[in-house]
Amino acid sequence: MKWLKVPILMLILFLANVFGAEYIVRVDSMVLGRVRTSFGKNGWVSVSELEYGEKYIVETRTVYAASGVLAHYEAIFRTRGEVVAKIVGTRRQGTTNVTLYAYNDSSRPAVKTFAFDNPEIFIVDNNFVIPHFEMLLKNPRPVYQILIPQALFDPSKTEKASGTATLKRDNQGRFIFSYEGVEIRITVDKDGIVRMEYSNGIVVERVKK
């Protein structure tokens, strides 16, 4: 299999094509929520509105370096209109620092910071943040070192928050992204990601304009 790096100008043109995309998240016929993405001077913004018993809104902003890896990342989690958690990630001199804020007490959030020394670690948000996957697919390689920052909130999942993921293509031209026993089959067109099928039954599909 041949893996090619995409020139940064082509990458920018590709990202502009998916400006303003919207996706539906569902299991079978049950809609779990929607994801809206946009791209502007402050980077990628993705807003996930999801229903798991109660409504959660997750807003992320991600800025990428020319190489396609993270430069800056922020995620804000809201329920019932209140901020319940925040994540801030930055990369400096090859180290990615991730700080978690848990607002159990709004006046004094609990704060934890983690450092990851791998200079090529990619963030893959687990709230269906489409731009993170767009960046992976525009710089495809068979193996990635990834970080799922939300998993750091749970001490029992911290070890699996970072690790090695794989990417390949099937005979239908779909990308297959795999990590820790979970597979995501990703269909793309000229405008970017069309559909993501998770092995746990969740489907994320772009809304036709």
Side-chain angles (χ1 to χ4, degrees):
M1 186 179 298
K2 189 173 182 181
W3 300 86
L4 299 176
K5 291 188 176 180
V6 179
I8 189 62
L9 177 58
M10 291 177 62
L11 177 62
I12 291 172
L13 291 174
F14 175 86
L15 294 179
N17 283 338
V18 291
F19 175 86
E22 181 177 349
Y23 295 79
I24 290 179
V25 183
R26 59 181 174 79
V27 175
D28 296 326
S29 61
M30 182 175 66
V31 175
L32 299 179
R34 290 179 177 263
V35 179
R36 296 174 177 84
T37 67
S38 61
F39 179 66
K41 64 180 181 179
N42 293 320
W44 275 105
V45 174
S46 177
V47 180
S48 301
E49 298 185 19
L50 306 168
E51 188 91 27
Y52 295 120
E54 62 179 313
K55 188 174 183 179
Y56 294 84
I57 298 177
V58 184
E59 181 175 349
T60 66
R61 183 175 69 87
T62 313
V63 179
Y64 293 97
S67 62
V69 297
L70 171 78
H72 184 80
Y73 164 82
E74 295 179 7
I76 298 174
F77 303 79
R78 294 184 176 89
T79 58
R80 301 174 187 172
E82 296 184 357
V83 175
V84 294
K86 183 170 70 172
I87 303 173
V88 177
T90 56
R91 185 190 303 274
R92 292 190 179 89
Q93 298 179 342
T95 298
T96 299
N97 294 295
V98 178
T99 301
L100 310 180
Y101 301 84
Y103 292 87
N104 298 320
D105 180 343
S106 59
S107 62
R108 292 185 178 182
V111 181
K112 288 185 179 180
T113 298
F114 300 80
F116 300 87
D117 292 330
N118 189 312
E120 292 193 340
I121 201 165
F122 282 77
I123 279 188
V124 180
D125 195 302
N126 63 358
N127 289 288
F128 314 110
V129 177
I130 306 298
H132 295 172
F133 290 95
E134 296 279 10
M135 294 302 296
L136 290 176
L137 300 184
K138 292 311 294 179
N139 185 24
R141 60 184 71 174
V143 177
Y144 290 93
Q145 295 300 312
I146 68 163
L147 169 63
I148 305 173
Q150 289 84 350
L152 296 171
F153 280 112
D154 185 346
S156 68
K157 297 180 179 179
T158 298
E159 290 185 2
K160 294 184 178 181
S162 63
T164 302
T166 61
L167 183 70
K168 60 184 180 180
R169 299 191 80 163
D170 65 14
N171 57 13
Q172 299 180 43
R174 295 176 300 184
F175 289 96
I176 303 175
F177 182 83
S178 304
Y179 182 66
E180 290 293 330
V182 176
E183 282 193 352
I184 309 172
R185 295 182 181 269
I186 306 173
T187 303
V188 301
D189 65 8
K190 63 181 179 63
D191 293 325
I193 291 174
V194 175
R195 180 182 173 95
M196 299 173 63
E197 301 172 63
Y198 288 71
S199 56
N200 62 4
I202 292 176
V203 174
V204 182
E205 192 161 25
R206 192 172 69 206
V207 176
K208 293 181 180 180
K209 296 183 179 179

